[in-house]
Amino acid sequence: MPDASFPNVRSRRLRRTAAMRELVRETRLEASDLIYPMFVDDRGPPRTPVASMPGVDRLSVEAVVEEARAAFDEGIRAVLLFGLPASKDARGSRADHAEGVVQRALRALRDALPDLVLITDVCLCEYTDHGHCGVLDGETVANDATLERLAAQAVSHGAAGADVVAPSDMMDGRVGAIRAALDEAGLEDVAILSYAAKYASVFYGPFRDAADSAPAFGDRRGYQMDVRNSDEAIREVALDVAEGADIVMVKPALPNLDIVRRIKDEFRMPTAAYQVSGEYAMIEAAGARGWLDAGAARLEAAYAIRRAGADLIVTYAARQLARTL
Ligand code: PBG
């Protein structure tokens, strides 16, 4: 038997040509693995560029349909909608309004692109005047009162045509409350993608510009997870799976690839990772300065997220990636 070490073994044999590397690669990435987030704006012109997210615009309902059609033609099969409402108040009344901007976008997209998977972000921070993810009791977000609002929002999205609702608020018990409300409304086929392990993160900064959802006081550490914790992510996912989550998500992606791997190994659930606004902005900003090749960086990051165990990647770079793939 030859010795299984150098010089009998030469790892470089399989790295010699692009064709050889392609043959032995372990991780695949397709446009259909990507979820494309979009901001639907009830107030602005058709397209308003987001300064801190080059290449991302806030879109009117008509522009969302146009953008989704272009993405679909490039191979993307799912979009994630965020709403920028016409008005905000303390309880986020526009979140579950039948004529809300997300509800109108859902109906327009359902008509125009029947094969596109429509996912909606379920959270109140874009709809409340104080910018927190639920209704307040003094200066804290009241958990149980918020559950009712989230359930109403999810039902409203389901009724308007959402295939999947994605709660991102991190209230306790939200997945169960949403599942029960959907079933009660006859929407048992609407799936739940839970932002199960969502960390409090500075990488959400550009998103809060885009969605105009920065909290007016304090921060989100009272409900989002502490970056120093890993076992807690396992407990969060276990709770959401028990409450009826169909897909679980980790967010942000690159700083938490260890969590993606743990969750995939432990639960074997369809698992998503969200490459958030700050992760996107860093690559685009460095690329614009010529400090790195943004195209190659987008691809490397996406492969790394897939390799860590994510089946699905939510990314603002979905269209750029789909065109490269
Ligand atoms: C709503 C929500 C946020 C993001 C997704 N859903 C913002 C937040 O929690 O502050 C962040 C997405 C991104 O940064 O791209 N709660």
Side-chain angles (χ1 to χ4, degrees):
M1 270 305 261
D3 196 14
S5 63
F6 179 81
N8 293 323
V9 176
R10 288 179 183 270
S11 303
R12 290 181 57 186
R13 283 180 198 126
L14 299 183
R15 298 180 195 143
R16 217 162 35 83
T17 63
M20 190 71 92
R21 291 191 292 273
E22 182 79 15
L23 191 70
V24 299
R25 72 172 168 166
E26 298 172 37
T27 304
R28 281 166 201 277
L29 175 66
E30 289 165 27
S32 56
D33 302 327
L34 306 174
I35 298 172
Y36 184 35
M38 298 196 293
F39 300 98
V40 209
D41 188 352
D42 214 356
R43 301 162 309 183
R47 285 178 180 266
T48 313
V50 179
S52 51
M53 300 175 72
V56 175
D57 297 333
R58 299 175 175 185
L59 306 163
S60 66
V61 169
E62 295 69 35
V64 153
V65 174
E66 220 174 79
E67 183 73 17
R69 191 189 306 278
F72 190 82
D73 290 344
E74 289 161 353
I76 290 164
R77 292 292 170 262
V79 297
L80 170 61
L81 300 180
F82 294 92
L84 282 94
S87 61
K88 306 192 186 212
D89 58 25
R91 61 189 291 277
S93 302
R94 296 296 293 182
D96 57 327
H97 197 292
E99 292 306 315
V101 70
V102 167
Q103 289 81 353
R104 291 192 338 265
L106 284 167
R107 291 194 293 266
L109 286 165
R110 188 77 300 157
D111 263 12
L113 297 159
D115 296 327
L116 183 67
V117 176
L118 305 179
I119 310 174
T120 58
D121 189 81
V122 169
C123 190
L124 295 185
C125 64
E126 299 120 63
Y127 301 90
T128 52
D129 50 12
H130 47 73
H132 277 287
C133 298
V135 293
L136 297 181
D137 177 9
E139 297 231 320
T140 56
V141 176
N143 193 88
D144 300 10
T146 298
L147 296 184
E148 281 171 44
R149 299 290 305 126
L150 296 169
Q153 184 182 18
V155 167
S156 169
H157 290 173
D163 298 296
V164 183
V165 292
S168 70
D169 52 282
M170 289 300 278
M171 296 302 122
D172 291 319
R174 80 271 170 76
V175 172
I178 288 170
R179 184 71 271 159
L182 288 170
D183 289 0
E184 174 127 0
L187 297 166
E188 50 281 299
D189 288 336
V190 174
I192 299 177
L193 186 172
S194 160
Y195 289 68
K198 176 171 177 177
Y199 286 90
S201 173
V202 73
F203 293 109
Y204 305 152
F207 172 95
R208 292 174 190 171
D209 288 345
D212 191 18
S213 66
F217 61 89
D219 54 38
R220 304 211 202 288
R221 289 172 199 273
Y223 37 103
Q224 298 178 350
M225 281 179 46
D226 187 322
V227 73
R228 294 170 292 192
N229 297 345
S230 170
D231 290 341
E232 187 189 5
I234 302 296
R235 296 197 298 276
E236 281 285 3
V237 173
L239 287 165
D240 286 5
V241 170
E243 289 175 32
D246 300 284
I247 305 172
V248 294
M249 185 150 72
V250 176
K251 170 186 179 192
L254 281 188
N256 302 303
L257 293 185
D258 58 323
I259 305 298
V260 174
R261 171 49 63 193
R262 277 194 75 180
I263 286 173
K264 186 65 190 176
D265 286 349
E266 180 107 6
F267 296 95
R268 294 276 141 203
M269 290 286 292
T271 303
Y274 197 141
Q275 181 181 47
V276 301
S277 56
E279 298 177 70
Y280 173 84
M282 287 194 296
I283 291 177
E284 298 308 314
R289 280 165 184 73
W291 291 350
L292 51 67
D293 173 348
R298 289 181 203 118
L299 208 55
E300 182 174 323
Y303 273 121
I305 295 167
R306 287 274 292 128
R307 190 195 64 216
D311 305 294
L312 302 168
I313 307 174
V314 181
T315 175
Y316 301 97
R319 288 194 61 194
Q320 291 102 316
L321 284 167
R323 286 195 291 265
T324 314
L325 302 165

